[in-house]
Structures are given as C-alpha cells and as structure tokens.
Amino acid sequence: MRPETDPTLTVRYFAGARAAAGVAEETVPAGPGLDDLLRDLADRHGDRLAAVLRAASYLVDGVSWHDRQTPLPAGTTVDVLPPFAGG
C-alpha cells in the first residue's frame, strides 16, 4: 500500500476486464465509493468495459469488497475480477 499522502488508488484489470479496458492497470483519484469509481471507469473506457464491470467482483487490497458507497481509501489497490469460465 502506498503512503496515505498519495491521493490516488490503483485499479488492476484481469482477464476480460483487461481486454475491455485496454490496459492492465491505471491510477485514478481516491475518494469515491465503488459505484462512483465504476461509473468513472465506464465513462473513460466505454460500453464494453461497462458490461464487464456489471458482472465483475472486486477486491480492495486483496479483500472482497461489497460496500459500494464508502469512499475507497487513498493508496489502495482495487482488483477488477470478471467472471472466469469454469469457475
């Protein structure tokens, strides 16, 4: 985890999310909740990623994250995990 003075967080995309986003990871401003972050990512990358984000699961610093309203802390890493075939 980065120092708390870093006002950003890292988003890492896996499998189909990576293909839809066109990048493996990116740094974005910290602060919004997951719903707002996902809306921003969909606006940035388009409908293809938006569809993946609707079906994906999320980890924040390696822990399953279901709270979609609480602001995401600065310095964290959000993993975007689309459904995997056979799993």
Side-chain angles (χ1 to χ4, degrees):
M1 188 152 100
R2 291 177 293 230
E4 288 301 315
T5 57
D6 185 352
T8 63
L9 57 87
T10 299
V11 179
R12 297 188 307 181
Y13 299 101
F14 293 87
R18 179 181 296 177
V23 296
E25 73 177 49
E26 63 184 311
T27 302
V28 298
L34 187 59
D35 279 343
D36 290 333
L37 173 63
L38 300 180
R39 208 171 4 263
D40 291 344
L41 296 173
D43 288 346
R44 181 177 302 154
H45 296 287
D47 291 340
R48 187 171 169 212
L49 181 61
V52 172
L53 295 175
R54 284 191 292 274
S57 298
Y58 303 93
L59 301 178
V60 175
D61 286 343
V63 177
S64 183
W65 191 266
H66 301 284
D67 183 346
R68 299 177 78 90
Q69 302 304 316
T70 299
L72 295 162
T76 59
T77 298
V78 176
D79 293 331
V80 179
L81 306 170
F84 294 92

